[in-house]
Amino acid sequence: MTTTLSERVSQSAFDGSMLRVVLLMDLHEGTQQQFFEAYEQLRHDIASVPGHISDQLCQSFEDPSQWLITSEWESAPQYLAWVNSEHHAEQVKPLGICARAMRPLKFTVLRETGRGYDQAARPSTARLQPVPRLGAGIVRHALTFTVKPGSEKQVASILSSYASPAARVDDHTRLCRTSLFMHGNRVVRTVEVQGDLMAALRHVSEQPEVRAVEEAINPYLEQDRNLGDPESARMFFMRAALPAVHHISAQEAEAADIQRHALLYPAKPGCGAALAKFLARQDEAAAHLPDSTVRSSSIFQRDDIVVRLIDVRGPLDAASQTAFGVRGARKAAVLDRLMAVSGKRSGAAHHTMNLITDRRAAAQS
């Protein structure tokens, strides 16, 4: 049976599809009017954001504390550029103050049916997702932050010493894998979750061993935070979010010699999305090559920070074109133009991150 490329790509922000974002919110008692006024201000601000098409505000007729905001975007990269910006963090503060819980969901649009769409006016750049993508029910996410220069060894020791939290979150959600890397003073933590990502992240944050580690690294962080203050913690993790924008994998049983690596690609100012898209296209092009040792690749991007997480069959040859994500002099030249630090001068080894921990849950844990 032939495996199509769409079956290999289970996640992508770069197929040009429209994006629908759903934000479920549970408000504190008595804040409904305050929340409504905050939304009124936000909707005027967001109307001028490139790529924004429309939004809706809905309130549950069964429970007035339950609210739903939906918005449509021409494409995922345009939404991500806004939602990951410092401006967005300030814009949504008034909403966050009112919320007891917030759950964002993001969907690319495959079909629009019914009378409401017969004459619907869409921007010419807004397209539907062409085919369904298949996957194994795994949600990928990452966090990144920096620590004070000179504290790297202490931080690495702290982050590698704690006991793994229980993998089972509830009947529908499991924490499958957590990998933590460092490059200089930058920390990147990737997670793979089967089920509800937000439930898994809450579960991890509530574990005593994890809370102790988070408190232990607080003095070393370049950005101050107070985990005892829900708003301070929420803003820190919002700014630390490093979304997965593309994932591709081989459809085969995992071999025993598969090893995990991460590479940091610092982009030139304003080139982060273009760099992430370029790497995604190279991964797709390499997916059918019989000599490729990369069995899966996940690309995470926020602003001009791009991280490529790869599972490789056998040891990583840091000097190889495959490890760096490109093949051929022309593609290498394109990559070089997008990166803040020349790949030609430094090579893949210079961008390979140091693995601190790689924790995998047992199959039935």
Side-chain angles (χ1 to χ4, degrees):
M1 177 176 166
T2 301
T3 301
T4 66
L5 190 60
S6 64
E7 291 174 315
R8 295 173 185 266
V9 178
S10 59
Q11 179 178 3
S12 182
F14 304 120
D15 62 3
S17 303
M18 284 192 300
L19 186 74
R20 180 176 290 275
V21 180
V22 179
L23 180 61
L24 303 172
M25 306 187 71
D26 183 15
L27 303 189
H28 293 294
E29 187 64 33
T31 63
Q32 285 83 359
Q33 184 62 34
Q34 179 184 349
F35 173 79
F36 179 71
E37 293 170 357
Y39 170 80
E40 283 293 296
Q41 179 61 49
L42 178 61
R43 76 176 181 89
H44 289 294
D45 294 338
I46 198 177
S48 60
V49 175
H52 176 261
I53 298 174
S54 64
D55 49 41
Q56 284 186 328
L57 176 66
C58 308
Q59 183 180 20
S60 169
F61 70 88
E62 296 175 321
D63 181 353
S65 69
Q66 301 290 325
W67 292 68
L68 170 69
I69 299 176
T70 68
S71 61
E72 276 191 314
W73 297 78
E74 292 179 25
S75 69
Q78 292 170 310
Y79 166 76
L80 291 173
W82 172 70
V83 79
N84 292 332
S85 68
E86 186 63 28
H87 184 50
H88 166 266
E90 295 301 321
Q91 284 178 311
V92 299
K93 269 186 179 180
L95 297 183
I97 292 172
C98 300
R100 182 183 297 111
M102 302 171 66
R103 184 186 179 192
L105 301 169
K106 298 175 282 291
F107 303 87
T108 49
V109 182
L110 279 87
R111 295 291 181 269
E112 292 179 326
T113 58
R115 289 178 297 175
Y117 294 106
D118 291 343
Q119 302 298 324
R122 294 291 189 205
S124 59
T125 53
R127 301 195 301 270
L128 300 181
Q129 180 183 318
V131 294
R133 291 186 292 269
L134 303 181
I138 300 297
V139 182
R140 296 170 177 84
H141 188 65
L143 296 171
T144 185
F145 51 87
T146 55
V147 297
K148 296 173 182 176
S151 68
E152 293 88 352
K153 288 185 178 180
Q154 296 98 311
V155 171
S157 177
I158 293 170
L159 292 175
S160 63
S161 61
Y162 70 96
S164 299
R168 184 180 183 276
V169 177
D170 53 39
D171 291 342
H172 309 288
T173 302
R174 290 180 69 252
L175 183 65
C176 300
R177 191 169 185 175
T178 302
S179 305
L180 194 142
F181 298 85
M182 291 185 68
H183 186 279
N185 70 328
R186 178 165 294 281
V187 178
V188 172
R189 176 188 291 148
T190 69
V191 296
E192 296 177 8
V193 173
Q194 189 171 44
D196 186 342
L197 173 64
M198 299 305 295
L201 294 179
R202 284 195 302 271
H203 165 76
V204 170
S205 68
E206 291 167 356
Q207 303 306 303
E209 59 271 27
V210 174
R211 293 187 69 87
V213 166
E214 295 290 351
E215 291 292 344
I217 66 171
N218 271 347
Y220 303 110
L221 298 178
E222 287 198 312
Q223 179 187 342
D224 292 335
R225 69 179 182 184
N226 177 9
L227 296 179
D229 177 359
E231 182 62 14
S232 174
R234 188 181 71 83
M235 293 301 293
F236 176 86
F237 288 111
M238 178 187 295
R239 292 186 171 106
L242 187 64
V245 294
H246 195 268
H247 176 77
I248 186 169
S249 61
Q251 298 295 312
E252 60 182 36
E254 186 170 304
D257 61 344
I258 297 293
Q259 299 181 20
R260 173 156 288 191
H261 305 272
L263 292 97
L264 177 66
Y265 301 77
K268 289 180 179 176
C271 293
L275 176 53
K277 183 176 181 179
F278 173 79
L279 291 172
R281 294 295 178 255
Q282 306 322 301
D283 280 340
E284 290 183 21
H288 293 298
L289 296 177
D291 63 336
S292 176
T293 62
V294 177
R295 310 320 299 153
S296 72
S297 175
S298 300
I299 297 172
F300 303 86
Q301 181 253 326
R302 181 192 182 97
D303 299 328
D304 297 324
I305 300 169
V306 181
V307 172
R308 181 165 168 258
L309 181 71
I310 53 176
D311 289 333
V312 180
R313 188 177 62 245
L316 176 70
D317 179 2
S320 72
Q321 294 173 320
T322 300
F324 209 36
V326 297
R327 289 189 176 215
R330 181 175 298 180
K331 291 179 179 178
V334 173
L335 177 64
D336 197 57
R337 289 196 297 270
L338 293 171
M339 291 181 60
V341 180
S342 173
K344 293 179 181 177
R345 292 194 300 270
S346 58
H350 181 76
H351 300 276
T352 303
M353 305 191 76
N354 296 319
L355 177 64
I356 306 302
T357 61
D358 185 24
R359 302 165 185 261
R360 307 179 67 173
Q364 300 300 322
S365 62

